[in-house]
Amino acid sequence: MTDHKKLKRLVRDRMAVTGESYTTARWHITGKTKPRHRVSRLIATALQDEYSEAMITGLAGGIGFMYAVFEYKGLHPLMTIVAQHHPDPWVPAVLNRLNVSFVEQHSGKVEAGITKLRKATGPVFTEVDRSALPWHETSPWAGYDPYTVLVTDVSETVSLIDVDKHDLSIEDFSTAWSTYRKGKHHAIVMGEIGETDLGKAVDDAIKTTVDHMTGPVLGNNFDVNFGFSGMAKLADQLRDTKTKTGWTKRFGDTEHGTKRLYECLEEQYTAPGATRPLYADFLDEVGRPQPAKIFRQSGAAWSRLAQKAKTSKDYPAMAEIVDECLNLERRAVELLRQPR
């Protein structure tokens, strides 16, 4: 918390000297510091650092687990793990719990959407297609790869923050904004910050995390892929050497499974260590040190699994690590069920 307050003071001191906006001044101070959870950093920036990155992560729902393998004609199987809370949208979850008003905008045509962005008076979160951003690699999954960015200004160009600050031409931004089909031209415009009962917000967020780790989440057959059930399913399929859904037959000696395993536990839709260490920081901040300690242990184990996936195709050994994480997190969640 001390470092958090110090950062806010440094940003405001720079604003007083340069006349920059909060987001611009903050980026100049922290631009070389990689966020642990990228979207949480964006939200913290939009809220002018009233809350830490760890607090934002916890208020969004913190950790989660969704494991599934999707098969598309003509493409290799795509394994996906979402290790952060899912499927509730991250930005609205935080803003709702903190009593921050916002307006969701939708536009059929990109020109109308750009006009709305120009008129916005508060920070704006938009979802674009990651692979359409010039500084990211192209992907065979273009159009299905949502990526939240914080738009800070629209003039002759679109200024936005991803990890770094970028200025895109209107044309390039429009392409990225239009390519993500499900969230085409969607924007969340932040409004006024109301009074917040932080204790109530924290309790609600933790309850949601616990509920979704133990299930059900969606109330349909896909729930088998979520939470502890999803973790057990991953361990079973890693061990499976005989059926077509087992990793031995599905991925064999290729990197299609192991590369994705590393990405999903350390980089994409997560913070390193499957978001567990950052969630532990949140729990420490709100006075829950016992489950925090256990989640740090499971986070270290998830990172160990991710590193193993970079060098090995020993799927049964990977399954043992998943079992270790599952046992640890069941204990931690039981502690979270208990009142403070």
Side-chain angles (χ1 to χ4, degrees):
M1 287 297 291
T2 301
D3 290 342
H4 168 56
K5 290 180 179 179
K6 181 179 178 182
L7 169 62
K8 187 170 182 178
R9 185 169 61 251
L10 289 172
V11 173
R12 295 208 178 280
D13 287 348
R14 180 181 172 95
M15 291 171 64
V17 173
T18 65
E20 294 167 337
S21 68
Y22 188 93
T23 52
T24 300
R26 190 191 195 282
W27 180 82
H28 280 291
I29 291 171
T30 65
K32 297 185 183 299
T33 304
K34 186 177 180 180
R36 294 168 69 188
H37 188 278
R38 193 186 63 83
V39 177
S40 292
R41 169 72 65 82
L42 296 181
I43 299 171
T45 300
L47 291 170
Q48 299 193 4
D49 291 301
E50 289 294 327
Y51 305 94
S52 69
E53 189 176 324
M55 180 63 75
I56 294 296
T57 298
L59 290 174
I63 62 164
F65 200 86
M66 191 281 289
Y67 163 70
V69 180
F70 301 97
E71 309 229 16
Y72 301 96
K73 186 176 180 180
L75 296 171
H76 61 74
L78 175 68
M79 191 283 295
T80 294
I81 291 172
V82 180
Q84 67 185 33
H85 183 250
H86 184 73
D88 295 341
W90 205 256
V91 175
V94 176
L95 299 184
N96 280 325
R97 287 195 173 102
L98 289 177
N99 194 26
V100 178
S101 67
F102 63 91
V103 175
E104 295 198 58
Q105 297 179 345
H106 300 270
S107 302
K109 295 184 177 180
V110 70
E111 295 83 4
I114 294 293
T115 298
K116 291 179 181 179
L117 292 185
R118 291 185 191 277
K119 294 178 179 179
T121 56
V124 181
F125 299 92
T126 63
E127 282 189 326
V128 299
D129 187 84
R130 183 205 322 251
S131 62
L133 296 172
W135 52 92
H136 285 284
E137 294 181 0
T138 57
S139 165
W141 310 105
Y144 301 94
D145 193 14
Y147 198 70
T148 301
V149 296
L150 177 61
V151 174
T152 59
D153 184 63
V154 181
S155 53
E156 297 302 313
T157 60
V158 177
S159 297
L160 60 84
I161 300 176
D162 171 350
V163 173
D164 297 323
K165 184 174 178 293
H166 298 272
D167 292 309
L168 276 178
S169 68
I170 298 292
E171 181 180 2
D172 284 347
F173 175 80
S174 297
T175 297
W177 203 19
S178 299
T179 305
Y180 174 47
R181 298 178 180 90
K182 188 176 179 181
K184 193 173 181 180
H185 313 148
H186 174 245
I188 296 175
V189 182
M190 213 175 84
E192 295 183 357
I193 302 175
E195 292 187 12
T196 301
D197 184 337
L198 188 58
K200 182 179 179 181
V202 166
D203 289 344
D204 181 69
I206 290 176
K207 182 181 184 303
T208 300
T209 303
V210 169
D211 288 347
H212 285 191
M213 289 299 290
T214 55
V217 177
L218 300 176
N220 58 38
N221 291 337
F222 197 72
D223 274 337
V224 70
N225 300 297
F226 281 94
F228 295 149
S229 174
M231 292 166 66
K233 180 179 178 181
L234 171 61
D236 288 344
Q237 292 190 352
L238 283 166
R239 285 195 181 88
D240 183 354
T241 60
K242 296 180 179 180
T243 74
K244 65 180 181 179
T245 60
W247 279 50
T248 299
K249 290 189 177 294
R250 179 172 260 160
F251 298 114
D253 290 331
T254 72
E255 294 186 347
H256 296 321
T258 53
K259 181 180 178 182
R260 283 289 295 168
L261 192 56
Y262 176 85
E263 291 172 345
C264 292
L265 295 177
E266 295 288 314
E267 298 176 342
Q268 295 184 10
Y269 304 107
T270 188
T275 312
R276 273 60 179 171
L278 186 57
Y279 190 63
D281 288 349
F282 160 72
L283 292 175
D284 276 336
E285 198 169 321
V286 300
R288 305 297 295 269
Q290 290 180 299
K293 181 179 179 180
I294 298 174
F295 278 121
R296 281 200 178 84
Q297 291 177 283
S298 69
W302 284 119
S303 287
R304 181 158 34 94
L305 173 58
Q307 290 301 321
K308 190 173 186 63
K310 293 181 75 173
T311 59
S312 171
K313 303 295 185 297
D314 187 350
Y315 300 138
M318 295 179 191
E320 293 297 321
I321 301 176
V322 177
D323 285 341
E324 177 185 347
C325 294
L326 180 54
N327 290 331
L328 285 167
E329 293 184 17
R330 280 183 170 143
R331 285 167 47 204
V333 164
E334 282 306 309
L335 290 171
L336 286 178
R337 287 185 188 276
Q338 298 174 12
R340 285 186 284 180

